[in-house]
Amino acid sequence: MISYKITTTILGVIIFLIIFSLVRRGRLQEKYALTWFAIGILVVLLSIFPGIIDKIAQLTGVTYPPALLFAIAVGVLLIQNLYLFIFASQNEVRIKDLMQQV
């Protein structure tokens, strides 16, 4: 049976390789890739050292460490979603200004 450590390490490496490939082909800008590289590295680190999430859960008072992991993941995704909405709103204003100039 394959260990969860090996599975999650492989998952982190796959995320890292996919993001690297997207940046190389020019389909993803570097400023967005940095966040995803950090997520890939974090997944690999947490898979190699699962005790880290247990220690963080103890410090924050969370009794079930995987719940903390999911809460952090949801928080990161919400922040990223907010950032993308702000970016889209700014672009919308720029496009409107450019259309008025033309």
Side-chain angles (χ1 to χ4, degrees):
M1 182 181 278
I2 297 177
S3 170
Y4 73 91
K5 286 184 180 184
I6 295 171
T7 305
T8 52
T9 303
I10 291 171
L11 178 66
V13 170
I14 288 172
I15 291 171
F16 195 79
L17 291 174
I18 289 171
I19 298 304
F20 185 74
S21 174
L22 289 171
V23 170
R24 252 183 91 198
R25 287 189 260 148
R27 298 186 55 108
L28 183 64
Q29 292 179 5
E30 292 83 7
K31 64 181 177 180
Y32 302 119
L34 290 177
T35 303
W36 288 104
F37 279 135
I39 289 171
I41 290 169
L42 187 66
V43 167
V44 170
L45 284 176
L46 288 178
S47 65
I48 295 172
F49 305 109
I52 293 172
I53 197 71
D54 294 334
K55 297 277 186 201
I56 294 171
Q58 272 183 339
L59 291 173
T60 57
V62 176
T63 57
Y64 186 60
L68 176 66
L69 189 61
F70 283 114
I72 291 170
V74 167
V76 167
L77 290 175
L78 285 173
I79 290 169
Q80 187 177 17
N81 194 19
L82 177 63
Y83 175 74
L84 290 174
F85 272 105
I86 291 169
F87 186 72
S89 296
Q90 290 173 345
N91 282 340
E92 202 172 305
V93 169
R94 288 182 195 145
I95 290 170
K96 186 178 180 182
D97 290 342
L98 287 172
M99 286 176 39
Q100 288 176 353
Q101 287 177 4
V102 170

